[in-house]
Amino acid sequence: MSQAPSAANSIYSDVIRERWRRPRHRGDLPGATAVAEDVNPLCGDRVRLMLTVEPQGRIAAARFVGDSCAICTASADVIAELVSGRSRSDAVALDVADVLAVLQSEIRPTRMRCVTLPLTVLAKALNGGQGS
Amino acid sequence: MKLNEHTRGDFPILQRIVSGHPLVYLDSGASSQKPRAVIEAMSEYYERSHANVHRSIHTLGEEATELYELARDAVHRFIGAASREEVVFTRGTTDGLGLIAETIGRTLKKGDEILVTELEHHSNLIPWQLVARDRGAALKAVPILADGSLDLAALDRLLTARTRVVAFTHVSNVLGTITPVVEIVRRARSVNAITVVDGAQAVPHMRVDMSALGCDFYVFSGHKMLGPTGIGVMYGRRPVLDSLEPGRGGSEMIKEVWIDRAQWNDLPWRFEPGTPPIAEAVGLTAAIGYLEKLGMDRVAEHERALTRRTIEGLAAIPGVKVYGPPVAVERGAVVAFAVEGLHPHDVAALLDAEGIAVRAGHHCAMPLMRRLGVVGTSRATFSVFNSPEEVSLLLAAVAGLRSSL
Ligand SMILES: Cc1ncc(COP(=O)(O)O)c(C=O)c1O
């Protein structure tokens, strides 16, 4: 078999491909105390983020589910990882640069919403999510 | 000789190299590319003849007016309208549907019913939602069957004496379903409902004839039929246009104005407030001329062959699902598909890396996506310049996708 780089190699980083194939934080989170969901109006992608926030404000666990592309899934997975075990205020401060630093991929402007959708959902969960 | 062998050289943009590959443009359903004739007609208009229309008593104003009205004649002939007064220029399909909804909307009362279908593009749904909400009317949708066709038995159940409007697409921009316009118009007329047809995905690809279809309104966009953005057509049957007050006001659409009232202009200008898209009308004339020279029957035949080849080829690839009516059924130049384990966005991005442009997402038809049980699909659409070789490139690229993420 030829070892020529596939199209995917050239457009997505290994981090994105790995997290798309085997997301570490995907799935339901029973007993979540803050839950939010949003949709990317451009493509219909949907991400739901679930957090268990302890009374003192530490995020004990975070998981996501969704119908989303590789970039959006990887972004949600990274975000769930970055906020787990951190304080609520750390999570609020998380921004797109933090996520991009982990994804290690050049993201075209048309796909930037795929990265930011899970961040929007995180902000929603931390603001209005139930019990937060 | 294949149609694309005639046409390819006429489209300058097809020289583009994308991601190191010659561009394979399979997104004409979103917006088609333009032949040189259209681009040049618009440049020439701007370089030689531009002025405002109708109100200028000088040479350029007269030339611009004449060119603008010539576009109306071209459309009149192209769609088989009974008269040129039935051809109203808009900014596009969305604009035309909005105009119709607002115009008819003023005549609706509480309890009236508006019927759409599950196939509709948001452009033929949201304006009706707004109107229904404002007027206290009910909005209902004709469902589709498993094969992507409209459930006509359900249509019969949904049509009542209260149904005032039946608004539906001629060709689905996702499934490619061709709806039985004549039949739906006949049934709608039996309850005296006004029929509104979204022809955005039909006019670029097949012969359409208003006298044969018999609908009250028919709308489409210039930019999907080799013409420019910013112009569309609202065809309205004369007796219906005559019976309606204008939905929107401004200059051009009036004869005489007082502070508290106005007398409306004659058709078709009564429905064209403001300075119209003049250069775009000139471009549209050129696009129609180009399509007429090819012959719409040949265009349809060429695109049908590409569509069939694509459906059969994709369906033969393991893990690929093709949506819409079976290949034996006549359908539009649209093929929506899904690749198992890949999100439509990623499919489009991966194909783009090979120079192939397809659309991915909900295609502005979220209720239909929900009906299909997906968030989106990938979609290849065809035009006169696409070739069987390009279909082969698409098929080969899709076949290689599953292992690639
Ligand atoms: C079936 C259908 N209706 C309406 C539209 C809207 O057309 P436009 O964006 O030109 O107004 C489109 C295309 O986007 C379409 O495919």
Side-chain angles (χ1 to χ4, degrees), chain B residues 43-113:
Chain B
S43 307
E44 186 180 330
Y45 165 76
Y46 275 131
E47 286 174 12
R48 282 184 50 82
S49 307
H50 176 67
N52 211 327
V53 291
H54 298 137
R55 26 186 138 150
S56 320
I57 309 298
H58 51 68
T59 302
L60 295 190
E62 281 166 11
E63 281 179 25
T65 302
E66 189 182 338
L67 287 168
Y68 180 65
E69 293 301 329
L70 273 175
R72 202 183 309 279
D73 294 332
V75 173
H76 165 211
R77 189 180 63 235
F78 190 60
I79 64 170
S83 71
R84 68 191 309 283
E85 287 77 21
E86 296 182 325
V87 176
V88 173
F89 285 119
T90 65
R91 267 59 177 177
T93 304
T94 305
D95 186 47
L97 290 166
L99 173 61
I100 295 167
E102 288 165 35
T103 305
I104 298 177
R106 297 189 177 190
T107 71
L108 296 184
K109 300 181 304 291
K110 195 167 163 52
D112 282 347
E113 293 180 0

Side-chain angles (χ1 to χ4, degrees), chain B residues 52-305:
Chain B
N52 211 327
V53 291
H54 298 137
R55 26 186 138 150
S56 320
I57 309 298
H58 51 68
T59 302
L60 295 190
E62 281 166 11
E63 281 179 25
T65 302
E66 189 182 338
L67 287 168
Y68 180 65
E69 293 301 329
L70 273 175
R72 202 183 309 279
D73 294 332
V75 173
H76 165 211
R77 189 180 63 235
F78 190 60
I79 64 170
S83 71
R84 68 191 309 283
E85 287 77 21
E86 296 182 325
V87 176
V88 173
F89 285 119
T90 65
R91 267 59 177 177
T93 304
T94 305
D95 186 47
L97 290 166
L99 173 61
I100 295 167
E102 288 165 35
T103 305
I104 298 177
R106 297 189 177 190
T107 71
L108 296 184
K109 300 181 304 291
K110 195 167 163 52
D112 282 347
E113 293 180 0
I114 300 164
L115 213 54
V116 293
T117 86
E118 275 185 344
L119 291 173
E120 298 320 305
H121 188 282
H122 297 159
S123 297
N124 199 22
L125 178 59
I126 310 296
W128 300 113
Q129 288 181 359
L130 294 173
V131 159
R133 197 188 58 191
D134 286 353
R135 312 296 301 190
L139 179 62
K140 298 182 174 177
V142 180
I144 57 168
L145 298 170
D147 67 357
S149 65
L150 285 179
D151 183 347
L152 293 183
L155 169 68
D156 285 340
R157 284 194 299 276
L158 288 166
L159 278 173
T160 73
R162 287 190 302 262
T163 310
R164 297 287 314 283
V165 178
V166 181
F168 61 102
T169 194
H170 190 174
V171 174
S172 160
N173 66 315
V174 178
L175 300 179
T177 310
I178 302 178
T179 61
V181 177
V182 174
E183 185 53 35
I184 298 171
V185 167
R186 190 180 67 75
R187 296 184 195 195
R189 196 148 288 155
S190 71
V191 298
N192 290 319
I194 294 179
T195 46
V196 179
V197 182
D198 175 351
Q201 296 293 341
V203 175
H205 308 291
M206 61 179 73
R207 183 180 299 286
V208 297
D209 181 358
M210 294 307 119
S211 65
L213 293 179
C215 52
D216 296 314
F217 287 100
Y218 193 99
V219 291
F220 53 98
S221 297
H223 70 95
K224 294 182 197 281
M225 52 183 291
L226 314 183
T229 55
I231 189 165
V233 171
M234 174 189 92
Y235 157 87
R237 219 161 51 79
R238 182 83 196 238
V240 180
L241 288 183
D242 276 334
S243 73
L244 289 169
E245 290 275 291
R248 297 175 186 164
S251 62
E252 303 281 353
M253 50 76 69
I254 41 75
K255 260 191 186 146
E256 209 174 345
V257 178
W258 297 265
I259 284 293
D260 60 343
R261 70 202 144 93
Q263 193 191 352
W264 310 138
N265 200 345
D266 296 328
L267 292 176
W269 306 290
R270 189 190 306 167
F271 290 97
E272 293 182 357
T275 298
I278 311 167
E280 290 76 8
V282 171
L284 185 61
T285 304
I288 289 174
Y290 188 88
L291 286 169
E292 281 180 328
K293 217 158 87 193
L294 297 177
M296 287 313 289
D297 291 336
R298 265 183 87 204
V299 168
E301 190 191 329
H302 175 72
E303 295 177 357
R304 203 168 296 140

Side-chain angles (χ1 to χ4, degrees), chain A residues 8 12 20 41 45 68 70 108 111, chain B residues 341 343 346 349 352 362 375 404-405:
Chain A
Y12 295 145
W20 160 253
D45 275 9
S68 51
R108 292 213 209 158
R111 301 297 295 278
Chain B
H343 187 279
D346 298 319
D352 182 63
H362 52 61
V375 286
S404 66
L405 242 195

